Amino acid sequence: MRGTKQQQQHELQRQQAQKPMNGLREVLWMASVATCIKMLLMPTYHSTDFEVHRHWLALTASLPLNQWYIDETSPWTLDYPPFFAWFEYVLSFFARIVDPVIVDLTRGLKYDAASAVYFQRGSVMCSDLLLFLGTWRFCRNFPLKLQILSYLAIFFSPGLLMVDHIHFQYNGFLLGVLLLSVSYLKEGNDLTGGIMFAILLCFKHLFAIAAPVYFVYLLRHYCHDLARFLKLGFSVMLVILTAFGPFLYYGQIAQVLRRLFPFGRGLCHAYWAPNFWALYNAVDKMLSYLLRMLGFDVVMEKAAMTGGLVGDSKAHAILPQITPGLSMFLVLLSMSPCLIKIWRKPRRDNLLICVVYAYTCGYIFGWHVHEKASLHFVIPLVLAAVDSVKVAKEYYFVSIVSYYSLFPLLFEPREYPVKMIFLVLHSTAMWYGFAINFAPQTQTSVKESELKERNGCMSLCIKKKMFIAGLVGLEIYVQLIHHLVFEERLPFLPLMLISVYCSIGLMYAWLKQLSFVIEL
Amino acid sequence: MRWTVLTSDAIIFFPAVFAFSMAFHHQRRFDESAWAFAVILLQPALILIDHGHFQYNCISLGLTLGAVASICLHRDYLASVLFCLALNHKQMSAYYAPAFFAYLFGKSIRKKNPIFEVMKLGVAVIGTFLLCWWPFLHSRTAEAVLLRLAPLQRGIFEDYVANFWCASSLVVKWKQIFPNTVLAYLALFATLVSFLPSVVQQIRSPSHRGFLLSLFNSSLSFYLFSYQVHEKSILLPLIPASLLILEDFSLYRGMILCAMFSMFPLLRRDGLVVPYIATFALHLLLLNVPFLEKSLSHVKERQHPSLKYMSDGLLFTGCLIDLLYLLIEPPPRYPFLFEALNSLLVFICLVLIGLHSHIQQWSATSTHEQIDADKVKMN
């Protein structure tokens, strides 16, 4: 009896999965709910990134093409590739209708009237349509329950809500393009996938970290003969020329590249992104304090790690200096197992894990990494997590740690309950979602007691549980205890602690992903 | 300050809704009762008024809900005490008083010793009142308090409310014909007449479902005919409608649309347009969840078609009016054109809903057996 019921369910799911519009209604519903929540977030704190993008609207609207990468009216110069500039240009048409001051180059400086806020936030919400499309396209052949779980994890990702819709950025649609590209590759449509990836690079060059993976995969999987290689190469070159061509014509390529790759900035951002370098910096600081106390003459730079606008400084007192070249070398070195695997077994199913791994390596060893870059590997990881329990456990752990590490971005007290509630809801929903999905027999309505029995397969190991408990303790310290103990001294200590603690978690995540890649 | 509203919401309103859910919906499937619980809690009108406009309705509504839950659990004395506390928190809770009175009276006269039962309830009520008013009785400021509670000088209606006096004032200029005191008596009379049917029904045959409907009917009649009604008072009929969501979905749907549209002018003045749209849309999405469709199908199927069409029509027209209100300047001769249209539309729908709910209450299944069965259970 049980057997036939299970068979029937599987059959039903298979039939459902084959409908092309499968899950569309659920996507629309979840997208609408997410958009409403984003509307409620409109009056929240926005960072300087808001002014950055507003300025780019004004820049592209008011100046001719050959001034875009040269203009210095505002310190927030254009440092994204040309397609993003075109995107801002298109938006500026609408901005002008809403409120012309937004796109005024001089009058609009630091303009944050309600019209500007609503317009910009609205533009992020609209561009998220690409995220919805990309996710749906990837997931549309999953069984309905897995689809719903993916949409829940991605559309309502606390990281995206915090970074895109509060702090203000446009990561959503870029990740959507990435997911679209991966979805084409998953279906075997390599040429389109490759072209989409090239387009993505011309929107934000940071995504180029996964380029080696794409290159090797497409070389081995698609380019069986010279004709295909030429076709792919030609298409990609065409995309790049469309983007950079005009600037090549104006002879500004050097300037453009200088803007896109500002290596004058330090190894770490002002708030150390929780990667390997954060640990490196922390060790360096500890060593220098230690040696100082032991009487050695140590030259210590004050707050030398700040990135942002100004350039070079001797960052490390004891440990060797890190150069951009060294950082890139380490990134490529850590990616090499993955590249070797893809070279040997260029299979479609492996691609997503490798792309995610590539972004993780880029995050762990990259130069001047922002903590926001963790979104690049956490979001796509969801799609790998819905298939397999062990990836799900890693995703659950990594998402909590990386979303927590984004908390310092929103430092005003108004947003505190909001970000806390997002994270707590996300963790709870993901836990139940994965637990129900990986239960031996999924039914439509699962009673609480049965759920507890089946939770066994989703239980995290003791180390992870303790780490997450430590996060709670850390938060209590940062919010309450530090001020009581130290008052105004050592103001950088809470942030440093968060950064170092999370980097331990993320380093663990990186190693775990490495093990997945090796097992492929 | 906002934290105080949030905390009082969490401490008083949430547990009350939970208690009600346990008491009234305990026989339903988990999906349905969980969904109903979510709908009652995520009430956009309450959220916008209490946390946006800033008020403390959640306390009196929570206490009232606690009283309702107590009634469903057959704890009548607790119910009286809680409701008196609610009354002493906000006199608007008096909108529910006829229903409570009718149900408790109807139940008492069926018990073995009716006069004794009524006296016991009276003691509970008077005792609670004494407790609350004690400080004021001491210092003889009670009269001042009472005067503040009934501000007759504000006139029969302010702004554009979707009630009878405002709607009919398009035709009959009440304020110009009668002085305030006469209007006050007129309003009292109209309100009494309008809630009398539901009170009579409950006294004749009290039941839990009938009680909830009577709560709705009496608060609706107060809203439509009372003196000096605010737009925010729409919360009072709205809450009982939400309690009945699993029994009569079309009633709730019509009611929430009326409530939200009637509050739009107020919220627009407060600068809450975007939260209004967001919470309204969220709530409508909550009422139509795709993955709960199978579980809720029989709740949705039992909708009354006439009310359903009315709600659909209201949704369309209301959105249209709101949009026009936002985008277009009204003609100078009728500066309040959109507000008037809005309140007229909502008034018509409220009257239709009120008729429907009165029919529902009178056709509720007979309850002699129910009350007797309850008595048997208690003994």
Side-chain angles (χ1 to χ4, degrees):
Chain A
M1 270 299 241
R2 240 157 137 216
T4 47
K5 190 171 176 196
Q6 237 179 339
Q7 273 171 10
Q8 276 175 6
Q9 234 174 12
H10 276 254
E11 185 55 36
L12 190 66
Q13 280 180 350
R14 212 171 50 81
Q15 280 174 358
Q16 259 187 339
Q18 275 159 10
K19 290 194 214 142
M21 287 295 163
N22 183 34
L24 195 58
R25 219 156 45 120
E26 280 75 8
V27 169
L28 288 173
W29 189 85
M30 297 191 108
S32 315
V33 174
T35 312
C36 289
I37 294 179
K38 292 166 192 173
M39 275 204 274
L40 289 170
L41 289 175
M42 272 182 161
T44 51
Y45 156 80
H46 52 82
S47 66
T48 48
D49 275 335
F50 178 84
E51 168 62 17
V52 170
H53 288 279
R54 189 219 55 79
H55 175 65
W56 292 355
L57 280 175
L59 185 73
T60 49
S62 322
L63 294 176
L65 195 65
N66 55 4
Q67 297 280 331
W68 285 4
Y69 282 95
I70 298 186
D71 181 79
E72 306 251 332
T73 315
S74 161
W76 310 118
T77 51
L78 189 58
D79 55 4
Y80 276 21
F83 276 177
F84 200 90
W86 285 110
F87 168 69
E88 297 273 15
Y89 179 65
V90 168
L91 278 181
S92 69
F93 279 119
F94 300 102
R96 194 173 269 132
I97 299 174
V98 169
D99 181 354
V101 182
I102 301 178
V103 293
D104 195 303
L105 200 58
T106 43
R107 274 199 309 150
L109 282 173
K110 300 217 176 111
Y111 187 60
D112 63 351
S115 57
V117 173
Y118 284 151
F119 176 76
Q120 295 248 67
R121 294 238 190 251
S123 66
V124 185
M125 290 186 339
C126 289
S127 65
D128 272 356
L129 282 173
L130 261 174
L131 176 67
F132 302 148
L133 180 65
T135 319
W136 174 68
R137 199 168 189 289
F138 191 96
C139 298
R140 62 184 172 173
N141 292 319
F142 291 177
L144 196 62
K145 279 203 182 310
L146 292 182
Q147 277 194 37
I148 292 176
L149 191 59
S150 317
Y151 302 144
L152 199 66
I154 294 184
F155 295 1
F156 298 98
S157 152
L160 272 180
L161 287 172
M162 284 196 284
V163 173
D164 270 17
H165 300 276
I166 300 184
H167 180 87
F168 198 83
Q169 258 202 344
Y170 284 94
N171 292 305
F173 88 91
L174 296 169
L175 286 168
V177 178
L178 177 68
L179 291 179
L180 269 178
S181 151
V182 180
S183 75
Y184 278 111
L185 288 178
K186 193 175 85 138
E187 289 167 6
N189 202 339
D190 290 348
L191 188 61
T192 325
I195 294 176
M196 296 229 78
F197 186 70
I199 294 177
L200 178 65
L201 291 189
C202 295
F203 269 104
K204 191 167 182 180
H205 50 299
L206 197 55
F207 284 92
I209 294 173
V213 173
Y214 266 79
F215 182 73
V216 172
Y217 176 79
L218 288 172
L219 197 63
R220 291 283 290 163
H221 191 258
Y222 179 70
C223 302
H224 301 308
D225 50 35
L226 191 62
R228 280 193 165 188
F229 179 77
L230 285 177
K231 201 156 75 161
L232 184 64
F234 183 70
S235 325
V236 170
M237 284 315 298
L238 196 63
V239 171
I240 296 182
L241 269 177
T242 320
F244 290 93
F247 301 97
L248 207 64
Y249 171 74
Y250 286 122
Q252 292 179 352
I253 277 293
Q255 168 70 358
V256 172
L257 288 174
R258 254 202 301 275
R259 286 280 182 84
L260 290 184
F261 299 100
F263 281 114
R265 299 184 188 174
L267 174 62
C268 292
H269 195 51
Y271 161 60
W272 302 345
N275 62 3
F276 177 74
W277 304 122
L279 286 175
Y280 193 80
N281 290 344
V283 166
D284 182 71
K285 268 211 179 334
M286 278 194 321
L287 279 178
S288 36
Y289 272 119
L290 205 66
L291 291 178
R292 249 249 176 121
M293 280 199 307
L294 289 176
F296 286 96
D297 185 25
V298 173
V299 176
M300 282 199 335
E301 296 265 355
K302 267 203 162 230
M305 244 58 78
T306 54
L309 296 176
V310 187
D312 266 323
S313 50
K314 246 172 107 57
H316 296 113
I318 311 286
L319 296 176
Q321 300 302 327
I322 305 292
T323 59
L326 181 62
S327 154
M328 186 163 342
F329 173 70
L330 281 173
V331 171
L332 285 172
L333 184 67
S334 52
M335 276 209 305
S336 50
C338 158
L339 293 174
I340 296 172
K341 274 288 167 175
I342 294 222
W343 178 270
R344 289 218 188 118
K345 299 189 215 172
R347 286 210 307 254
R348 290 191 257 175
D349 305 329
N350 299 341
L351 188 66
L352 186 62
I353 288 274
C354 293
V355 168
V356 170
Y357 177 70
Y359 285 125
T360 316
C361 294
Y363 184 85
I364 296 282
F365 292 109
W367 181 268
H368 201 86
V369 170
H370 283 249
E371 60 282 354
K372 304 176 214 125
S374 60
L375 285 173
H376 293 178
F377 60 86
V378 173
I379 301 287
L381 191 58
V382 176
L383 301 174
V386 291
D387 272 341
S388 117
V389 181
K390 55 174 195 188
V391 180
K393 291 193 213 186
E394 293 319 308
Y395 165 72
Y396 188 70
F397 179 71
V398 118
S399 68
I400 293 184
V401 176
S402 66
Y403 291 153
Y404 178 74
S405 73
L406 292 172
F407 274 15
L409 279 176
L410 309 175
F411 49 81
E412 287 190 5
R414 240 183 2 163
E415 277 78 31
Y416 189 79
V418 174
K419 63 187 187 190
M420 199 49 85
I421 288 177
F422 277 157
L423 186 58
V424 170
L425 278 179
H426 167 85
S427 343
T428 325
M430 286 296 108
W431 176 268
Y432 274 109
F434 283 122
I436 293 178
N437 261 315
F438 293 120
Q441 281 168 325
T442 47
Q443 298 169 11
T444 40
S445 65
V446 183
K447 289 213 185 73
E448 297 261 17
S449 51
E450 285 177 298
L451 200 65
K452 284 206 176 75
E453 272 176 4
R454 293 167 192 178
N455 256 349
C457 52
M458 187 55 199
S459 57
L460 300 175
C461 64
I462 190 75
K463 292 191 296 264
K464 289 206 193 79
K465 279 189 189 153
M466 289 188 58
F467 192 87
I468 294 183
L471 269 181
V472 176
L474 180 64
E475 182 64 12
I476 295 176
Y477 172 81
V478 164
Q479 293 297 326
L480 299 171
I481 303 181
H482 177 84
H483 189 77
L484 289 172
V485 171
F486 288 107
E487 288 185 24
E488 299 305 323
R489 295 176 295 151
L490 300 181
F492 58 86
L493 189 62
L495 286 184
M496 198 168 108
L497 282 176
I498 294 180
S499 173
V500 170
Y501 192 81
C502 291
S503 52
I504 298 174
L506 291 180
M507 292 284 296
Y508 165 81
W510 166 63
L511 288 169
K512 216 39 185 176
Q513 283 189 36
L514 180 57
S515 74
F516 290 158
V517 165
I518 292 177
E519 282 169 19
L520 276 180
Chain B
M1 286 280 278
R2 297 247 185 231
W3 273 108
T4 56
V5 188
L6 257 173
T7 333
S8 48
D9 211 353
I11 295 177
I12 301 185
F13 191 70
F14 286 18
V17 179
F18 186 68
F20 172 78
S21 209
M22 290 286 108
F24 195 65
H25 290 146
H26 66 273
Q27 279 165 351
R28 300 276 187 164
R29 285 172 38 205
F30 180 68
D31 286 6
E32 293 176 352
S33 52
W35 177 72
F37 183 63
V39 170
I40 301 175
L41 269 185
L42 291 174
Q43 192 57 258
L46 186 58
I47 294 176
L48 285 170
I49 290 183
D50 268 16
H51 303 279
H53 183 79
F54 196 84
Q55 271 204 335
Y56 286 96
N57 293 307
C58 49
I59 301 182
S60 60
L61 286 174
L63 286 168
T64 316
L65 261 182
V68 173
S70 313
I71 288 202
C72 293
L73 292 168
H74 303 285
R75 304 232 188 296
D76 294 340
Y77 302 111
L78 182 61
S80 328
V81 168
L82 283 173
F83 183 61
C84 291
L85 286 175
L87 262 177
N88 282 311
H89 179 262
K90 264 199 155 177
Q91 72 275 25
M92 268 199 334
S93 315
Y95 282 30
Y96 295 130
F100 274 92
F101 170 73
Y103 175 81
L104 290 171
F105 191 63
K107 228 176 125 178
S108 305
I109 58 180
R110 276 174 178 73
K111 291 207 185 144
K112 285 175 283 203
N113 227 336
I115 300 182
F116 187 51
E117 298 293 330
V118 173
M119 273 175 59
K120 278 201 282 189
L121 282 173
V123 165
V125 169
I126 294 177
T128 325
F129 265 87
L130 270 177
L131 212 64
C132 293
W133 284 76
W134 192 247
F136 299 99
L137 292 173
H138 262 276
S139 60
R140 293 169 203 274
T141 47
E143 204 184 302
V145 177
L146 280 172
L147 270 177
R148 284 276 184 89
L149 291 181
L152 287 180
Q153 67 277 15
R154 287 204 199 151
I156 192 157
F157 63 82
E158 228 175 88
D159 294 325
Y160 279 86
V161 189
N163 80 350
F164 173 74
W165 305 112
C166 182
S168 57
S169 72
L170 293 172
V171 181
V172 179
K173 301 288 174 205
W174 300 104
K175 283 187 186 169
Q176 289 164 2
I177 301 179
F178 299 111
N180 274 347
T181 37
V182 173
L183 282 177
Y185 282 119
L186 203 57
L188 184 64
F189 179 69
T191 318
L192 266 167
V193 163
S194 57
F195 71 62
L196 215 52
S198 86
V199 164
V200 165
Q201 193 273 343
Q202 273 298 289
I203 298 182
R204 277 184 57 188
S205 52
S207 71
H208 289 166
R209 186 158 179 269
F211 171 61
L212 289 177
L213 277 166
S214 161
L215 276 174
F216 177 70
N217 282 324
S218 73
S219 52
L220 188 63
S221 67
F222 265 91
Y223 181 81
L224 289 175
F225 295 104
S226 178
Y227 191 85
Q228 192 35 238
V229 170
H230 283 273
E231 296 107 324
K232 302 173 224 127
S233 314
I234 195 74
L235 271 180
L236 288 158
L238 186 58
I239 300 292
S242 69
L243 301 181
L244 284 165
I245 187 169
L246 290 179
E247 312 278 329
D248 190 350
F249 180 69
S250 44
L251 178 74
Y252 176 69
R253 186 157 176 261
M255 201 55 214
I256 186 69
L257 290 175
C258 286
M260 291 304 282
F261 285 126
S262 76
M263 287 196 325
F264 184 63
L266 172 69
L267 295 172
R268 184 171 178 262
R269 280 201 298 273
D270 275 345
L272 285 172
V273 176
V274 172
Y276 166 81
I277 297 174
T279 45
F280 197 5
L282 269 175
H283 200 72
L284 289 178
L285 286 167
L286 180 63
L287 292 179
N288 294 298
V289 187
F291 16 95
L292 285 179
E293 252 188 37
K294 268 186 292 185
S295 325
L296 297 172
S297 54
H298 68 275
V299 170
K300 304 268 178 86
E301 270 160 27
R302 279 190 296 156
Q303 290 186 68
H304 293 264
S306 46
L307 220 56
K308 185 171 181 301
Y309 293 136
M310 184 208 83
S311 308
D312 291 338
L314 175 61
L315 183 60
F316 178 70
T317 332
C319 284
L320 195 62
I321 295 183
D322 281 355
L323 212 60
L324 290 174
Y325 193 178
L326 276 177
L327 296 175
I328 305 181
E329 285 293 318
R333 242 184 73 173
Y334 303 111
F336 294 109
L337 178 65
F338 293 123
E339 280 101 328
L341 275 176
N342 199 357
S343 56
L344 189 61
L345 177 70
V346 174
F347 171 70
I348 294 171
C349 294
L350 282 177
V351 167
L352 290 172
I353 293 177
L355 283 171
H356 166 86
S357 63
H358 271 91
I359 297 173
Q360 284 284 301
Q361 192 181 352
W362 277 90
S363 65
T365 47
S366 137
T367 54
H368 275 260
E369 294 90 64
Q370 193 166 341
I371 293 293
D372 288 331
D374 293 340
K375 240 197 295 185
V376 168
K377 252 194 283 186
M378 272 192 328
N379 305 337

